[in-house]
Amino acid sequence: MNPTIRLMDTPGLMDTGGVGQDEEKIVKIVQNVSTLGYVNGFILVVNEQTPRFDRGMQDVVKLLVDSFGSMCLTNFAIVYNRAFGTVSPSDSAKRTAEYTKVIMNRTAIPINHLPSWQVDCKPEILRSIGLTEEKIKDRIALRDRTLDEIIRWARAKNPVDTTGAVIGEYEQRRKAREEEEKRKEAYARRIYDQSVILTETETKTDVYKRNSQAIMFPVQIMKAPTGLLERVINLLFPDYWTETKLVEVGKEMTLHLKESQRIVNTLGSGQKVYGEWKIVREWME
């Protein structure tokens, strides 16, 4: 007995609701797939009537990778519908090769092979373009074989763990958000760079005046008598001819000092902002 195949038909993306509605759908898709825990295959359904792999479709694939990781492309395939017998399976296969290159360029993830199938059979439309009942039966049989092949492909793939899935974000929206975050970060950095993160007090001592004063010492100098009378007086009064003079024996230096302080603020940028020097005290030594 074959195991049960669970098919999750997700809401369509890139509808008229725009990016905002798509993001709401992505939230629901990620939540549901995360609950499952694993996925065997991710299938992108492309309408053969509008098969352009435009920017919107590329965004969907990128969103899938951002949500479930790069391994999801290993289990990724494309199914073309609504061909209505007007587009051959070989044309769809060629288109898949083109899409594979676009996906690799957009996601920067190498892809060896991207399987694709054309699943389409509406008998009423086939009759309207002139196919016989026999041809229509052949188309129905081909459709059933293709569906069986898709199921076998999914069962053969190693499941992708989806328990760690994150909610993806459209690239345009993400870029806008990242630019806004950079702008806010740059603004916060400018504020920080201009903010004072450290305040210190710087002190210095200066000699602003020097006073020099002579040191005098008294010295007695004896005057030698020259005449007879002076000799007699010198014998009678020895101190009469002694003279005291002040002699400079050195100098005494007096220093006038002052202590000044200023505030130094360090900004977040590392720049230092210096305040004015202010005298806090003066003294002499």
Side-chain angles (χ1 to χ4, degrees), residues 85-98:
T86 59
V87 181
S88 67
S90 61
D91 289 338
S92 297
K94 293 178 182 178
R95 194 173 295 116
T96 299
E98 297 173 0

Side-chain angles (χ1 to χ4, degrees), residues 34-48:
S34 298
T35 302
L36 292 176
Y38 68 95
V39 171
N40 289 80
F42 296 88
I43 296 177
L44 178 67
V45 179
V46 177
N47 185 346
E48 284 282 30

Side-chain angles (χ1 to χ4, degrees), residues 92-106:
S92 297
K94 293 178 182 178
R95 194 173 295 116
T96 299
E98 297 173 0
Y99 292 174
T100 302
K101 294 179 181 178
V102 174
I103 293 173
M104 286 194 295
N105 290 334
R106 184 66 186 276

Side-chain angles (χ1 to χ4, degrees), residues 129-248:
I129 62 175
L131 263 67
T132 64
E133 291 299 322
E134 189 67 28
K135 291 288 186 181
I136 292 174
K137 288 181 181 179
D138 291 342
R139 289 293 183 92
I140 293 174
L142 176 61
R143 178 200 63 189
D144 293 343
R145 290 196 300 272
T146 303
L147 291 174
D148 287 339
E149 184 179 344
I150 294 173
I151 292 173
R152 288 195 300 271
W153 168 82
R155 284 175 173 163
K157 302 300 292 184
N158 291 324
V160 176
D161 185 359
T162 60
T163 56
V166 296
I167 297 173
E169 187 176 21
Y170 271 109
E171 191 168 359
Q172 299 94 323
R173 183 70 64 88
R174 186 181 72 250
K175 286 182 178 179
R177 175 180 56 77
E178 290 174 349
E179 288 296 325
E180 179 64 15
E181 290 175 353
K182 288 180 180 178
R183 187 191 65 78
K184 290 181 178 179
E185 183 179 348
Y187 175 76
R189 184 66 195 181
R190 287 196 301 270
I191 295 299
Y192 177 78
D193 287 347
Q194 297 171 8
S195 301
V196 176
I197 61 173
L198 178 64
T199 298
E200 298 172 294
T201 300
E202 188 175 358
T203 303
K204 69 174 182 176
T205 301
D206 296 316
V207 177
Y208 69 94
K209 189 176 180 182
R210 299 171 187 268
N211 286 339
S212 178
Q213 186 176 0
I215 301 174
M216 307 302 292
F217 189 80
V219 178
Q220 288 186 341
I221 300 175
M222 183 174 290
K223 186 178 179 182
T226 57
L228 178 62
L229 181 60
E230 291 179 355
R231 290 191 181 96
V232 174
I233 294 173
N234 185 51
L235 292 173
L236 295 175
F237 306 99
D239 295 334
Y240 179 80
W241 299 103
T242 301
E243 181 182 6
T244 301
K245 288 186 176 182
L246 292 177
V247 178
E248 184 177 330

